[in-house]
Amino acid sequence: MQTAENLKLKEIALDKQFTYAISVTTYIPYELYINDIAAEKDYDSGSNAAIEMNPYLLGNGTHTIRLRLLPQMGKETIDVESYEMSHFELVKVIKNQNGKGLKYDEEVMKLPLPPMTTPLPFIEMKWEVEIDDLPYQLEGWSKSKAFKKEDSLVIMKQVVAYYEELRNILNIGDDKEWLERTKKRREETWSLMYKQKDKIKETLKKLKKTVTDECRNNMLPLEDYDLFFYAEGKILSLERRKTEEFEGYDANIKGWSPLIYNDDGGVYDMGIKIHMPLGSDTFEIIRK
């Protein structure tokens, strides 16, 4: 279907709109990677959540899941009791037949944690899963330039310059330019999220309002970040370092995008991951 902003989204039957997710129940910090891309970084005291995998699945095939469990803030090792209470599962979710809401269709596989009798500073597991029923195939970063970590200093300058451009766009409240810069991301993520046509106009309205009303003149300086390489160097991201206090709050914003705005005391980040298409010398926003 052709949307109001000229995005081409494939119409998919409800009974084919599969979403894969990692069901998380844990009481310790963790990092979750899908196909070598950070899907979630939770450095608080854990959570009960379902982390969608589809944004990091370009289509059917063999996909990797990597889980890294970490100590709670201020601790040197993982708490064994909290570790033993944690569990993770790969589930497949489908939409109800009326198109409203989601339901868990089936547990695809458990993601078992190995025994830990002695507290460790971290523990990491990796699994592979074969998926063959996704109704879409996306280009994503499959035809993107692969950057090398040994060139980090040069790449960092290029990435920071691009982030500064984006920060300026947000700080002047230029919603048209922001929507243009994020068009590729919307086209792909709305396809894999099976975005309903009647929801697109309202979503765009909210996106514009965020830029014009909340980001305008409220963007904080870019600072205190590191450069991360994902998907074998095809995806890049700047992420904030660990904090104990931020903008007057007791908060650890490690993993946040440095594109942060303070709107009437509420602090939020504009998460992005970028890539450079082959044959181009310009970065492009590809995911959050």
Side-chain angles (χ1 to χ4, degrees), residues 7 13 29 31 45 56 61 93 108 111 118 131 137 149-150 152 162 181 208 225 244 246 254 263 273 277:
L7 297 184
E31 298 173 350
S45 55
Y56 316 102
V93 185
V108 178
L111 304 177
T118 303
I131 294 176
Q137 182 69 44
K149 289 185 179 180
E150 52 262 38
S152 290
Y162 185 70
R181 297 287 184 114
K208 292 178 180 180
Y225 48 74
E244 294 184 4
F246 187 71
K254 181 179 179 181
D263 179 41
K273 292 182 177 69

Side-chain angles (χ1 to χ4, degrees), residues 106-118:
E106 63 182 28
E107 180 184 287
V108 178
M109 64 183 285
K110 291 188 181 296
L111 304 177
L113 305 183
M116 185 173 65
T117 55
T118 303

Side-chain angles (χ1 to χ4, degrees), residues 27-282:
Y27 305 94
I28 53 180
Y30 68 95
E31 298 173 350
L32 177 65
Y33 299 86
I34 309 299
N35 291 330
D36 192 37
I37 305 168
E40 182 68 18
K41 292 184 176 182
D42 184 341
Y43 298 112
D44 293 323
S45 55
S47 62
N48 294 311
I51 310 302
E52 291 192 10
M53 291 177 62
N54 285 35
Y56 316 102
L57 309 178
L58 298 182
N60 293 313
T62 302
H63 301 284
T64 61
I65 302 166
R66 180 162 59 93
L67 177 66
R68 184 179 175 89
L69 300 175
L70 303 162
Q72 292 180 343
M73 195 168 182
K75 304 291 185 180
E76 296 295 325
T77 57
I78 296 171
D79 178 73
V80 175
E81 183 177 356
S82 296
Y83 174 82
E84 292 176 343
M85 295 172 64
S86 301
H87 56 90
F88 301 81
E89 295 85 30
L90 170 61
V91 298
K92 183 165 71 172
V93 185
I94 63 172
K95 288 188 175 180
N96 291 319
Q97 289 304 298
N98 62 8
K100 297 179 180 179
L102 300 174
K103 68 175 182 179
Y104 284 100
D105 180 54
E106 63 182 28
E107 180 184 287
V108 178
M109 64 183 285
K110 291 188 181 296
L111 304 177
L113 305 183
M116 185 173 65
T117 55
T118 303
L120 298 172
F122 72 91
I123 188 166
E124 186 169 301
M125 291 73 65
K126 187 175 181 179
W127 302 270
E128 287 191 349
V129 59
E130 190 73 26
I131 294 176
D132 61 8
D133 56 5
L134 290 173
Y136 64 81
Q137 182 69 44
L138 302 172
E139 181 177 285
W141 46 92
S142 62
K143 297 179 181 179
S144 303
K145 180 177 179 178
F147 292 91
K148 298 178 180 178
K149 289 185 179 180
E150 52 262 38
D151 299 326
S152 290
L153 290 178
V154 174
I155 298 167
M156 173 71 94
K157 291 180 181 179
Q158 296 173 337
V159 173
V160 171
Y162 185 70
Y163 269 68
E164 285 287 6
E165 281 183 31
L166 298 177
R167 180 194 171 277
N168 291 337
I169 290 167
L170 292 168
N171 202 50
I172 63 174
D174 189 343
D175 59 313
K176 290 182 180 178
E177 182 63 21
W178 181 253
L179 288 178
E180 182 61 31
R181 297 287 184 114
T182 55
K183 184 176 180 179
K184 177 71 171 181
R185 179 176 73 183
R186 283 196 308 287
E187 187 167 72
E188 292 208 341
T189 56
W190 287 1
S191 292
L192 59 85
M193 291 170 61
Y194 316 115
K195 192 77 171 178
Q196 296 179 34
K197 187 176 181 180
D198 60 351
K199 302 292 184 183
I200 289 176
K201 187 175 181 179
E202 183 62 27
T203 301
L204 283 173
K205 184 178 178 180
K206 289 179 181 178
L207 287 172
K208 292 178 180 180
K209 187 176 186 298
T210 296
V211 176
T212 58
D213 294 3
E214 299 172 21
C215 293
R216 188 194 299 269
N217 297 323
N218 289 327
M219 297 300 297
L220 302 181
L222 295 181
E223 58 187 11
D224 201 23
Y225 48 74
D226 290 309
L227 175 64
F228 285 81
F229 294 74
Y230 297 121
E232 299 179 330
K234 292 184 176 182
I235 293 179
L236 304 173
S237 176
L238 294 183
E239 297 175 18
R240 287 290 304 248
R241 299 181 187 128
K242 176 182 174 181
T243 61
E244 294 184 4
E245 183 274 338
F246 187 71
E247 291 290 297
Y249 295 95
D250 293 331
N252 179 15
I253 65 165
K254 181 179 179 181
W256 280 33
S257 165
L259 292 171
I260 300 173
Y261 63 93
N262 188 332
D263 179 41
D264 292 330
V267 184
Y268 310 91
D269 72 326
M270 300 290 278
I272 65 165
K273 292 182 177 69
I274 64 175
H275 77 133
M276 184 178 288
L278 287 175
S280 173
D281 59 0
T282 303

